[in-house]
Amino acid sequence: MAGRDLLEADALRSFAVFAEHRNFTLAAAALHISQPALHVKIRKLAEALGVELYERDGRRLTLTAAGVQLAAYAQDSRRRADEFLRELHHDPAPTLTIAAGRGALRWVIGEAIRQVGRRGRRVQVITADRDAALSALSAGRADLAVIAHDPPSRQVEARQIAAYRQVLVLAEAHPLAARRQVRLRDLDGLDLVVPPAGRPHRRALDRALLDAGVRWQVAAEVDGWDLLVHLAALGVGATVVNGCVGLPDGLRAVPVDGLPEVRYWATWRPPRAHLVRDLLDQFRPAGGAAERRRSGAQEPPR
């Protein structure tokens, strides 16, 4: 059977399910077929296309670059089939799947999700860090990913949807809390609650404080804006977060001069542009056309 024939047959659906699970046992159970039968389907598909679709890393199975491309194609095909059936039977609009971090879901796009839901759109959420969100997007498991800091690669579409100043959060009784703004060197000697080493926010903060010659101590390492602020409220130490983060009583946020704004990007693959339009409509384009990046496809039509 030719590669095109297989792409139009059951093997494509089987590979889509396998790509979601990255596990033959789980995928076979989801497809209600035997594991050997699924192995045969995937092997014949790889042979027909002339590429390797997955590889083993110890006990883990990972998709090759070709496998990621095929998984996205398979997911898009499944999505188009689902949309056709919904239109045929006059069903509601398709589910919108969003991959984003906890902070972005709570403070950056929460209201946009609420507005889309009020219009009758069902939203599914994948809580994921930057790498996992982009992986879900590229494999077709998510329609839209929301990421912070740097824009994504040019293989996808992206729009900047928000930018926030970084603020020092500390107790209202602290001497720095009375200021309208602090400089990086004002943080000298502080105990700080920070994300774990290696997180983008931590790396950027480490670099900025080092360049400014600031001496500081790690009071605690926790993941997530909400936990950073929570520990600051408990008196463990001060923290630096995005200006969009809500604060409990007793804390004050003071803008930090010398730290860059944290930018947030909504990103999608061109085949899903029509699915993400209504969520993107909730945001004002940041910086106009100059902030929109294209890879050959159009901005979601209005």
Side-chain angles (χ1 to χ4, degrees), residues 201-266:
H201 177 60
R202 173 67 181 277
R203 290 198 304 266
L205 186 61
D206 283 343
R207 186 165 53 248
L209 294 175
L210 179 64
D211 291 344
V214 174
R215 297 166 301 165
W216 62 283
Q217 297 79 40
V218 175
E221 292 183 326
V222 292
D223 201 6
W225 301 121
D226 50 351
L227 287 180
L228 292 172
V229 169
H230 179 63
L231 289 186
L234 294 178
V236 174
T239 191
V240 176
V241 299
N242 292 354
C244 62
V245 177
L247 301 181
D249 293 340
L251 292 181
R252 177 171 167 77
V254 184
V256 182
D257 183 31
L259 290 178
E261 289 185 331
V262 177
R263 299 181 296 168
Y264 283 86
W265 304 83

Side-chain angles (χ1 to χ4, degrees), residues 130 145-152 158-162 263-267 291-293:
R130 178 189 176 94
V146 176
I147 59 174
H149 301 287
D150 298 326
R159 181 200 293 177
Q160 183 181 323
I161 58 172
R263 299 181 296 168
Y264 283 86
W265 304 83
T267 178
E291 291 291 353
R292 300 189 188 124
R293 301 171 54 257

Side-chain angles (χ1 to χ4, degrees), residues 116-139:
V116 168
R118 285 176 175 172
R119 297 179 181 180
R121 188 79 181 274
R122 183 172 180 269
V123 176
Q124 182 179 30
V125 170
I126 300 172
T127 306
D129 62 18
R130 178 189 176 94
D131 290 342
L134 291 175
S135 176
L137 186 73
S138 65

Side-chain angles (χ1 to χ4, degrees), residues 24-37:
F24 277 101
T25 301
L26 296 177
L31 290 165
H32 305 290
I33 62 175
S34 68
Q35 187 173 330

Side-chain angles (χ1 to χ4, degrees), residues 182-194:
V182 295
R183 297 161 296 183
L184 277 172
R185 61 174 176 265
D186 294 326
L187 277 62
D188 194 76
L190 287 183
D191 293 333
L192 294 178
V193 180
V194 292

Side-chain angles (χ1 to χ4, degrees), residues 21 26 49 61 98 124 276:
H21 294 281
L26 296 177
L49 296 174
L61 298 180
I98 304 170
Q124 182 179 30
V276 305

